[in-house]
């Protein structure tokens, strides 16, 4: 059966990807007043319905639904989620961001690469599976809000489960089997306000923050010396934002620093918080006037899939067969929705077409790789869902 699969033609890819790029779906949480995912969700839903899938729109935020489409299996096989986000970042700096321009193998436009190319691959693959038939269900989740708070995929894992998932963020047809996580922390140092001429009364919260920053640097060096993760290397930490003081002639009573920590598998919110707390405690032991409050206020876990998972080997086999050489397995640096799916107990890999320019003024996707990716996803879905 697999031999009868058909690779989407250049025209089919161009038609679909151009339509997707033409629909402004800038995330309104990133750019206030932006279009959001309503129109693109309706387009994706209609397209999938015409391809024969069972489709529903699921409201996540006002006017910003997820699309959930199901290729119903004939029964008995494992189920697979194909996940792509419908939102994009803003289009500042691009001349005509929603006008697709084709040059050779490249289709230019906002969101073409991140990740309407991956979304098109998923849609074409679902249509391929629909035509060929499958034992297990293939579930398309076209999700909103990945570029901000991942509300879309969060809603998916709250209501749907499956035996595996593929997130089609652009990987250039490589298999991404791990990515870093991140934590945002804030440290607030407390001093004592006093007239600048009375040093015996004042405690300088800004210079106390200087000691914290010294610890951040030292921790960064310690992290880079730790045993590196096989695909991701070491975790890291840096200061991002700092604020303190009210005027020149006063001792500042307060200074706040926001710190970002990039994490690798094995590191947890608790371990990340603890390694910072130990350092603040040691500053306090050395100087009783030192006082600081630590808060880990956002945690996005790192992602890693066991290379022995069935979905990894089935995808690897389909890729080598259709690309003609083994797909590179690698770890990526940015956080993705894969972490949410994986931590919900769904073995997940990231695999999508190539191009360049994510979040940049000039962005393009490879038309050929969208077609190839769709075919690889179709074959992977059919083999995986056959059980
Ligand atoms: Zn993306």
């Amino acid at each position: 059966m697999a031999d009868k699969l058909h690779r989407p033609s250049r025209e089919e890819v161009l038609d679909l990807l151009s339509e997707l790029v033409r629909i402004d779906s800038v995330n309104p949480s990133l750019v206030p007043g932006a279009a959001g995912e309503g129109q693109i969700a309706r387009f994706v839903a209609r397209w999938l319905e015409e391809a024969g899938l069972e489709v529903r729109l699921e409201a996540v935020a006002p006017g910003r639904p997820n699309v959930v489409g199901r290729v119903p299996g004939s029964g008995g096989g494992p189920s697979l989620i194909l996940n792509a986000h419908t939102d994009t970042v803003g289009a500042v700096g691009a001349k005509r961001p929603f006008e697709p321009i084709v040059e050779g193998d490249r289709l230019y436009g906002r969101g073409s690469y991140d990740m309407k190319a991956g979304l098109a691959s998923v849609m074409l693959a679902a249509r391929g599976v629909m035509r060929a038939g499958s034992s297990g269900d293939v579930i398309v989740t076209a999700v909103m809000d990945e570029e901000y708070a991942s509300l879309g995929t969060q809603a998916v894992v709250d209501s749907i489960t499956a035996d595996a998932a593929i997130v089609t963020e652009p990987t250039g047809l490589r298999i991404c089997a791990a990515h870093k996580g991140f934590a945002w922390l804030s440290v607030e140092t407390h001093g004592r306000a006093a007239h600048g001429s009375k040093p015996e009364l004042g405690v300088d919260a800004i210079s106390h923050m200087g000691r914290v920053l010294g610890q951040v640097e030292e921790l960064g060096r310690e992290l880079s010396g730790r045993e590196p993760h096989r695909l991701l290397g070491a975790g890291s930490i840096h200061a991002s934002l700092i604020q303190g003081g009210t005027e020149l002639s006063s001792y500042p009573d307060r200074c706040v620093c926001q710190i970002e920590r990039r994490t690798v598998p094995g590191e947890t919110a608790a371990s990340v918080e603890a390694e910072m707390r130990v350092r603040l405690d040691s500053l306090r032991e050395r100087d009783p006037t030192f006082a600081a409050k630590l808060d880990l206020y956002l945690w996005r876990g790192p992602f890693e899939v066991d290379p022995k998972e069935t979905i990894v080997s089935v995808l690897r086999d389909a890729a080598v067969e259709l690309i003609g050489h083994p797909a590179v397995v690698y770890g990526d640096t940015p956080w993705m929705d894969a972490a949410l799916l994986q931590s919900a107990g769904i073995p997940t890999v990231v695999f999508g077409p190539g191009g360049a320019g994510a979040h940049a003024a000039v962005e393009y996707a490879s038309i050929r790789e969208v077609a190839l990716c769709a075919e690889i996803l179709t074959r992977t879905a059919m083999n995986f869902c056959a059980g």
Side-chain angles (χ1 to χ4, degrees):
M1 193 191 279
D3 294 336
K4 280 191 252 153
L5 293 181
H6 127 107
R7 180 174 307 176
S9 67
R10 178 181 159 92
E11 279 60 45
E12 285 174 301
V13 172
L14 276 180
D15 282 355
L16 176 54
L17 186 50
S18 301
E19 286 289 338
L20 293 171
V21 168
R22 245 176 239 128
I23 302 171
D24 174 354
S25 62
V26 171
N27 187 317
S29 299
L30 284 176
V31 182
E37 302 90 339
Q39 194 191 344
I40 197 165
R42 288 187 293 277
F43 172 83
V44 171
R46 205 178 320 119
W47 194 98
L48 291 174
E49 232 160 43
E50 278 165 20
L53 279 78
E54 297 166 0
V55 184
R56 57 181 200 273
L57 290 179
E58 297 204 332
V60 182
R64 304 180 61 195
N66 281 346
V67 183
V68 179
R70 187 179 299 265
V71 179
S74 56
S79 55
L80 176 67
I81 288 175
L82 299 177
N83 177 288
H85 65 81
T86 54
D87 61 321
T88 72
V89 294
V92 179
K95 268 187 241 148
R96 282 185 293 276
F98 308 114
E99 198 176 292
I101 294 168
V102 179
E103 274 174 25
D105 183 46
R106 296 178 176 184
L107 188 147
Y108 289 87
R110 170 48 84 223
S112 55
Y113 173 67
D114 183 15
M115 63 173 288
K116 290 178 175 177
L119 176 59
S121 302
V122 165
M123 294 164 73
L124 292 163
R127 190 178 68 182
V129 181
M130 193 68 216
R131 286 175 179 166
S134 150
S135 319
D137 289 359
V138 175
I139 303 150
V140 172
T141 56
V143 298
M144 45 77 78
D145 196 46
E146 191 275 345
E147 297 289 3
Y148 186 70
S150 288
L151 298 177
T153 292
Q154 187 58 56
V156 166
V157 300
D158 288 344
S159 61
I160 300 174
T161 192
D163 296 299
I166 302 175
V167 175
T168 60
E169 288 279 9
T171 66
L173 301 179
R174 296 173 300 160
I175 295 173
C176 169
H179 67 64
K180 289 183 183 177
F182 67 93
W184 286 347
L185 304 113
S186 87
V187 176
E188 186 174 336
T189 51
H190 302 285
R192 193 186 313 120
H195 193 278
S197 66
K198 299 188 186 312
E200 69 282 6
L201 297 180
V203 175
D204 179 348
I206 294 178
S207 62
H208 283 189
M209 188 59 81
R211 301 176 195 174
V212 176
L213 293 174
Q215 292 296 317
V216 167
E217 258 196 294
E218 216 174 85
L219 177 56
R221 277 194 296 276
E222 189 202 310
L223 293 174
S224 62
R226 283 186 195 169
E227 180 72 32
H229 181 271
R230 65 190 171 92
L231 295 174
L232 297 171
S236 58
I237 188 166
H238 69 95
S240 302
L241 294 162
I242 191 162
Q243 198 177 26
T246 49
E247 66 215 340
L248 266 167
S249 57
S250 295
Y251 276 76
D253 65 346
R254 184 174 171 269
C255 182
V256 182
C257 184
Q258 318 274 350
I259 295 166
E260 184 181 65
R261 173 80 157 79
R262 294 281 168 165
T263 61
V264 296
E267 295 175 330
T268 63
S271 73
V272 161
E273 197 177 349
E275 73 198 1
M276 202 56 214
R277 194 170 297 286
V278 163
R279 288 173 177 272
L280 296 180
D281 287 349
S282 78
L283 291 177
R284 170 133 183 101
E285 273 161 34
R286 271 178 257 167
D287 175 0
T289 71
F290 178 88
K293 197 176 100 203
L294 172 68
D295 183 23
L296 190 159
Y297 63 93
L298 183 79
W299 171 258
R300 293 285 187 209
F303 155 72
E304 179 175 36
V305 66
D306 185 336
K308 290 193 286 292
E309 281 292 348
T310 310
I311 188 60
V312 180
S313 54
V314 171
L315 174 61
R316 206 192 275 135
D317 290 350
V320 71
E321 201 176 320
L322 295 166
I323 300 173
H325 58 80
V328 173
V329 177
Y330 78 112
D332 215 337
T333 56
W335 189 87
M336 304 183 212
D337 275 354
L340 290 178
L341 290 153
Q342 177 80 24
S343 67
I346 305 170
T348 300
V349 279
V350 185
F351 179 81
H359 303 201
V362 178
E363 178 177 356
Y364 70 87
S366 160
I367 298 159
R368 191 187 68 83
E369 289 195 12
V370 172
L372 191 47
C373 180
E375 192 184 13
I376 293 167
L377 292 174
T378 306
R379 181 158 305 188
T380 301
M382 294 185 57
N383 291 346
F384 181 82
C385 298

